[in-house]
Amino acid sequence: MNSIARIKKALPLLLMFLVCVASSVSAQQEETVIAMVIRINGRLDFRKAAGDDWEPAAVRQSLHNGNQLRTELGNKAVIVYTSSGTRILVNENTELEIQAQMPPGKFAKPTSERTKLIIGEVYSKISEVKKDKPNYEVETPSSVASVRGTEFNVQFTTGEAIFLVMLNQVDIENNQGSTTASQYQMVRVPMGEPPSEPEQLSKGQAEKA
């Protein structure tokens, strides 16, 4: 049997092997626990992906890439990203999606974590900065905030995102521009417009906002 014939004979087996490897990697990433529900005040709804039916979530429930959460009036929750320890306080009337950038590999950890805020309000508390921790972002329909080692609040309603930094700094950007907000500064980002200049607040004003 010449070399060309041997290659043709082995090709289907090679293709089958590659498909199995790709399926294995995809399944591993899908099943990787990105975050966990650690507290529910009232009721928290959960669905695996956009378009699925909502169902009640439970404390200690594992969350995977693309899972969505929802609170209604009077309900709140707390979730924690398992790799970084970042805590997210989910306010009432909020809908969000858990996201993470996952490299290939059986024991891979996220290189970045993202809370996609569809509507409502979340307060992010990032733990101590370490080199091996993933980057953390909050995305709204109008902008993205990139942070490491800080505390800040994000609210998105009626077509405008409002960022309020409680500790350290947050970089806020979209296709129209970018800015950096420091402690007790507020930035507004209307849909289709660049981030506003940071507005300085007093500690008391920031805590009441």
Side-chain angles (χ1 to χ4, degrees):
M1 184 182 295
N2 60 38
S3 59
I4 295 179
R6 285 197 295 269
I7 292 173
K8 289 182 177 179
K9 186 176 181 180
L11 188 58
L13 294 175
L14 177 60
L15 291 175
M16 185 178 296
F17 171 76
L18 293 175
V19 169
C20 290
V21 170
S23 299
S24 176
V25 171
S26 176
Q28 183 272 326
Q29 291 185 351
E30 182 180 353
E31 292 303 315
T32 298
V33 176
I34 304 301
M36 181 176 292
V37 179
I38 61 173
R39 186 182 302 167
I40 300 175
N41 293 337
R43 176 189 171 101
L44 177 67
D45 291 326
F46 158 87
R47 62 182 178 184
K48 290 184 177 180
D52 291 350
D53 292 335
W54 292 100
E55 57 188 66
V59 175
R60 296 186 181 178
Q61 179 168 334
S62 297
L63 302 173
H64 306 286
N65 208 353
N67 288 176
Q68 294 189 343
L69 299 173
R70 180 183 70 179
T71 59
E72 296 182 341
L73 182 64
N75 301 320
K76 298 181 180 182
V78 179
I79 62 175
V80 60
Y81 283 89
T82 54
S83 182
S84 66
T86 296
R87 291 196 173 207
I88 310 300
L89 283 64
V90 185
N91 206 349
E92 61 183 3
N93 295 327
T94 295
E95 186 174 333
L96 60 85
E97 182 174 308
I98 303 297
Q99 298 182 343
Q101 185 68 39
M102 296 295 301
K106 186 176 181 180
F107 301 105
K109 294 182 179 181
T111 56
S112 67
E113 299 168 334
R114 174 178 286 198
T115 299
K116 182 178 181 181
L117 181 60
I118 300 168
I119 192 168
E121 184 175 17
V122 294
Y123 186 95
S124 302
K125 186 175 182 179
I126 295 85
S127 56
E128 182 183 358
V129 178
K130 294 182 179 179
K131 289 184 179 180
D132 60 345
K133 282 191 176 182
N135 295 322
Y136 176 69
E137 297 178 335
V138 173
E139 176 188 348
T140 75
S142 68
S143 50
V144 175
S146 303
V147 298
R148 283 187 69 109
T150 192
E151 294 183 30
F152 68 107
N153 192 75
V154 184
Q155 181 179 3
F156 183 82
T157 54
T158 62
E160 181 183 60
I162 301 176
F163 297 84
L164 176 58
V165 180
M166 300 302 292
L167 186 66
N168 296 336
Q169 293 183 327
V170 174
D171 296 325
I172 303 161
E173 64 178 349
N174 60 16
N175 292 334
Q176 286 72 43
S178 63
T179 190
T180 298
S182 300
Q183 187 175 32
Y184 305 142
Q185 288 187 337
M186 179 185 292
V187 171
R188 298 177 182 272
V189 190
M191 291 289 292
E193 297 184 21
S196 68
E197 288 297 319
E199 176 187 353
Q200 186 66 55
L201 305 179
S202 67
K203 180 180 178 181
Q205 288 174 323
E207 292 175 344
K208 291 178 181 180

